[in-house]
Amino acid sequence: MAKTRKSKRKAEDTVLDDEQAVDQSPSPITKKKHPEPDDEGTNQAISVRHSTIPYNDKQIPCERRGEVDKPALIWTHGAGGGLAAPAASEFADGFSEYSSIISFQGSMNIPSRVKMFHSVIEHEDFDATLGGRSMGSRAAVMAAMQQDRKTKALVLVSFPLVGGKKNDSREQILLELPEGIDVLFISGDRDSMCDLVQLREVIERMKAKCWLVTVKGADHGMGWKPNGSVTAMRRKTGAIAAEWLKARDSEKRYSSLSWDRDGKAGEMVYTDWNASLPAQAEATVGDAQPSTTDLEVSEENKPPAAKKRKRGKT
């Protein structure tokens, strides 16, 4: 069984040697349980088929979910974890309830991750939808731009609009996306690497047609409070993406996901697609403060203030 590396990454753009990539084949099949009933889940098991795809003189570990051989989405994880990272795997679990998905373990080096996308694309004879979370979403955009075939859609979860040592903007690759590619953004309103006001401004300038799901109270790692509902929320974002791929309205491009605290219990609330940003999300845009519990944010990609706090400086 493949060994997964611990999520101790120094920087999303750090160049690692190819020899450090995972090169062992995972076990053939595993089964995962859905969240417990109180997390809006069931006890139904999820089948995950493990396989590998050739990449240079190594192998790319992959996980397949869903019944169809040809996946609806090629998906990859962020910089702070691999295939087993909950923010990536739980999204894939939710997506597989409605459609098929192949997830792959990628290098922490952006150019290498893009090349891995191409290897998976060629192996699957695939030309439809690419996606990923955080660093993986950046790689998906770059891979789509380099494809000979036309990518039809992109699913970008927690796209890091700013990052790097200088907290540089990453909007240019989004602005370069051509017409004809539909883009789904899923982003938390407490994501310290993607201010929603800035993201909406970028969306308005993009040539590609865009949709946005705002996850109210979620940080960069798609975590929110109460913690007991995080798994169900991440799975819901996967389900939303799968349904969006099957049918989307070009006139309704904004939706939101939130936690409604009804007494002690509370419940997850999804606002279906609207022509404008839903009111409950609009009220928080610009007011939300970045969460100090952002997951999968490398030290280099944290805003300067976050670095100083960790080092004990003022």
Side-chain angles (χ1 to χ4, degrees):
M1 182 174 289
K3 296 180 179 178
T4 55
R5 290 179 293 178
K6 294 182 179 179
S7 57
K8 293 182 179 180
R9 309 292 182 196
K10 289 186 178 180
E12 187 175 78
D13 296 319
T14 300
V15 178
L16 300 184
D17 295 334
D18 286 342
E19 287 74 20
Q20 297 180 25
V22 177
D23 60 1
Q24 297 179 352
S25 300
S27 56
I29 299 177
T30 60
K31 287 191 175 182
K32 300 169 61 179
K33 284 189 176 181
H34 286 207
E36 295 301 321
D38 59 352
D39 279 346
E40 298 187 4
T42 69
N43 290 321
Q44 178 185 355
I46 301 171
S47 293
V48 181
R49 297 161 52 200
H50 297 269
S51 61
T52 58
I53 290 174
Y55 175 68
N56 296 333
D57 59 343
K58 297 185 179 296
Q59 300 288 321
I60 302 174
C62 298
E63 293 181 348
R64 295 176 182 272
R65 292 169 173 83
E67 301 301 325
V68 183
D69 289 335
K70 189 171 183 178
L73 173 65
I74 294 178
W75 169 260
T76 191
H77 56 87
L83 289 174
S89 63
E90 290 165 2
F91 172 92
D93 289 343
F95 189 97
S96 68
E97 290 185 354
Y98 297 88
S99 197
S100 57
I101 180 173
I102 178 171
S103 309
F104 71 88
Q105 174 85 27
S107 166
M108 295 303 107
N109 170 256
I110 280 280
S112 294
R113 185 78 71 98
V114 173
K115 291 177 181 178
M116 289 178 168
F117 255 118
H118 290 308
S119 293
V120 178
I121 289 167
E122 291 301 320
H123 186 271
E124 298 296 316
D125 189 24
F126 189 83
D127 61 357
T129 306
L130 308 180
R133 61 156 276 100
S134 192
M135 171 193 175
S137 66
R138 292 178 61 211
V141 173
M142 294 176 187
M145 293 289 289
Q146 296 175 12
Q147 264 189 282
D148 292 333
R149 293 173 234 149
K150 187 177 181 182
T151 299
K152 296 179 177 62
L154 288 164
V155 175
L156 310 179
V157 178
S158 299
F159 185 89
L161 203 54
V162 296
K165 292 181 178 179
K166 298 181 179 179
N167 215 30
D168 296 325
S169 171
R170 274 86 173 261
E171 67 181 45
Q172 190 57 39
I173 59 171
L174 298 176
L175 298 176
E176 291 173 357
L177 283 169
E179 294 181 20
I181 296 182
D182 289 349
V183 182
L184 173 65
F185 290 96
I186 300 176
S187 188
D189 68 0
R190 293 181 180 272
D191 188 338
S192 61
M193 297 178 70
C194 186
D195 177 78
L196 280 185
V197 173
Q198 183 181 357
L199 178 60
R200 291 188 68 198
E201 291 174 351
V202 172
I203 287 174
E204 291 175 359
R205 293 159 56 199
M206 289 173 63
K207 297 185 289 290
K209 192 174 294 183
C210 301
W211 286 254
L212 171 63
V213 178
T214 300
V215 185
K216 186 178 178 181
D219 56 26
H220 187 69
M222 277 296 150
W224 70 2
K225 294 182 180 180
N227 295 332
S229 65
V230 168
T231 295
M233 176 265 284
R234 290 171 177 162
R235 288 173 55 86
K236 179 63 176 178
T237 61
I240 292 170
E243 292 178 320
W244 174 84
L245 280 179
K246 291 182 176 181
R248 50 192 178 271
D249 187 339
S250 62
E251 300 301 320
K252 296 181 178 180
R253 302 189 190 178
Y254 296 95
S255 67
S256 68
L257 189 62
S258 62
W259 183 258
D260 181 17
R261 289 180 174 81
D262 182 13
K264 294 183 178 180
E267 62 177 351
M268 190 162 55
V269 177
Y270 174 60
T271 302
D272 208 353
W273 296 103
N274 292 277
S276 59
L277 197 66
Q280 63 176 359
E282 186 79 63
T284 64
V285 172
D287 297 331
Q289 299 298 315
S291 170
T292 58
T293 59
D294 276 9
L295 305 177
E296 299 192 17
V297 181
S298 59
E299 193 66 20
E300 180 179 318
N301 282 307
K302 287 183 179 180
K307 290 185 181 179
K308 291 179 179 179
R309 284 197 299 270
K310 187 167 184 179
R311 293 172 185 167
K313 298 179 180 179
T314 58

